[in-house]
Amino acid sequence: MRSFWGLMRAYWFSDRWKEAWGLTLVIALLTALSSKASVWMAEASGELVNSIAFFHDPANMAPLASLLTSAGTLLLLVVVKDAGFIGVRHLFSTTLHRKWRGWLNGRFNAALLDANHTHFHVQHNTDAANGSGMAPDNIDQRVQDSIKGMTGGAIGLAMGVMGVATSLFFVGQKLLEISTVVPGLEFLGPYGSVVLAFAVVAAYVPLNTYIAMKLGGVMERLSIRMQQAEGSYRGELTVLLRRSFHVAASRGEAVQQAMHDRLYLDIDRTWARLNVVNAGYMSFESIYGFIAARIVAYGPGLVPYMHGQINLKGYITGAELVNSLISQCSWFIQVMPAIATLRANSQRVTDLAMAIENVQEPPAFYAATGQSEFSFGSQNALFGLTVRNLQLMHEGHEASPFLTVANLRFRRGEWTFVSGQSGCGKTSLVKAINGLWPYGRGAIVFPEGIRSFYATQDVKLPQVSLKQLVCLPDHPGTHSEAKVAVAMHKAGLGDFIEHLGDETRQGKSWDQLLSGGQKQKLVAARILLLQPGLLFLDEATAALDLEAKIAFHQVIKDNCPDVTVISVMHEAMPPKSAMGAEFYDSILSIADGIGSKKALASLPAELTTLLAQPQPTDEWPPLRFPRVRQKEK
């Protein structure tokens, strides 16, 4: 689905091809019937005008009955066409739209949320392979609005093509049937009027279609710009709602408002330009339609009518047929705004599809913008986790390593505390081991058959039930409520056990209701329930006070006896149990871009004392504040 046509036909060649083709065939049949009904309506219009013209003719023995019959027939045909054929076709086309959009939405969600962490790679790194120099913006808008607009526009476009084809057949057939000799074109014989009709249509429609294409190109560019501007504004509003507390605490409303004003100004300016182009196109389309229906359509039959070669009924019927033919052949002009939007939407969707495809092999993708030579393997679980010759870098082929680690081994059941100044690369190291750091080189060998768990400082909770939140990433049916309740009780969340099946409480989602410390206790409950063999704690206790941090460590120590722990914390030294026992067996120190690991018991007393002191900085001296225990909500 990396190209426009690949995206258009994918659904029809998928595992749901029967559904796609079945709906398409019904729509095609109804389109053909609608075109045939246009011929019937043209004939009925001719009969109605003829009955009006000869209402007072002495030879007309039942003028009123003839008039009412003609009018009733035309009205019946209008109802059959508009309600029976076009209305039912609309129902089937909107069903096809819904089905196609749902299938595409599912494919993109599955591609973004695969085991490759595609959603992460797509939005956090440069899209060099795409040539855009940046990741695709506003992925949510692309997956929802762009797919919806693209599928709807494509179906409308396809129905227009079907309408042209069927109209050319049925209307052309009728024009041939009523064709007559045209003075001045006698060499064409009885096909003079039909040739003249097709010539007029061929001259009028393409010229105006060219004008419509030029205006459509402007609308397409403005539509893309409008989508980008609105997506950026909506994205900033979404981010604001997530960080509203921080904005309020820093009194940053004025800055945030200025940012919103700037983003909306871009929307307003683009919208103004788009409105001008749309207004001009609307005027062009109205004038085009009037000239087509009132002048061009009645022109070809006027000459034979003036020379008495056809009667009024034949003249009106022919004019209505030509008008119907122009109307069907003008679908491109009529739907040009929709086509412009379709092309804009399809470009947004295909760009996202290309970005997803490009990151399916992350090492090769990142190698285009920097050095990415990580290798991942596995070994017997008895040997634990091994890291060899690891170098972490930033983007750029000439970038130098900011962190180098020669060889590390984390034994089964070993607890390692990662120490170092802020910004030294502690979190980057944990990300690299988990395959979430793009640039650098080295080998990471995981223990076979061991489940790993990565707990971060910032906990975001999806709007699902409390049981699902504790069971993540497992399916909630995998674990009984009793086991989940035990894990929650041990983690300090026993007050919420009776709400395991609830997605909300007191009108709030769990992400809104739980405090930062409670969210980190929920992570502890996940660890106890899932029993990982390899645990990464990246500031996972930052929102807890000292007593709660000790309890966090103790409950894992007591209930996960064989777990290997690698922990990053703000503190210079790891916490100890309430009885003074060490939780951690070793310290991985990072200083001057070098990481080295030593057993905690082997550290000299002087170094242990030094590490326990506040870390020096090159700027302001560290400020000391009394520790205040966080009050849980």
Side-chain angles (χ1 to χ4, degrees), residues 153-220:
I155 291 171
L157 187 63
M159 289 195 300
V161 173
M162 293 179 192
V164 170
T166 54
S167 289
L168 285 173
F169 178 78
F170 291 117
V171 175
Q173 187 181 48
K174 188 63 180 179
L175 283 173
L176 281 170
E177 181 183 325
I178 65 173
S179 182
T180 185
V181 177
V182 176
L185 299 176
E186 289 84 359
F187 64 94
L188 295 175
Y191 300 108
S193 63
V194 69
V195 171
L196 184 60
F198 277 110
V200 169
V201 173
Y204 184 69
V205 175
L207 175 62
N208 287 277
T209 300
Y210 175 78
I211 299 173
M213 288 177 60
K214 291 298 183 181
L215 292 174
V218 178
M219 286 190 287
E220 177 188 354

Side-chain angles (χ1 to χ4, degrees), residues 590-613:
I590 300 177
D592 299 324
I594 304 295
S596 59
K597 180 171 171 281
K598 290 185 178 181
L600 187 61
S602 66
L603 293 176
E606 296 82 358
L607 181 57
T608 303
T609 303
L610 180 62
L611 287 173
Q613 296 175 356

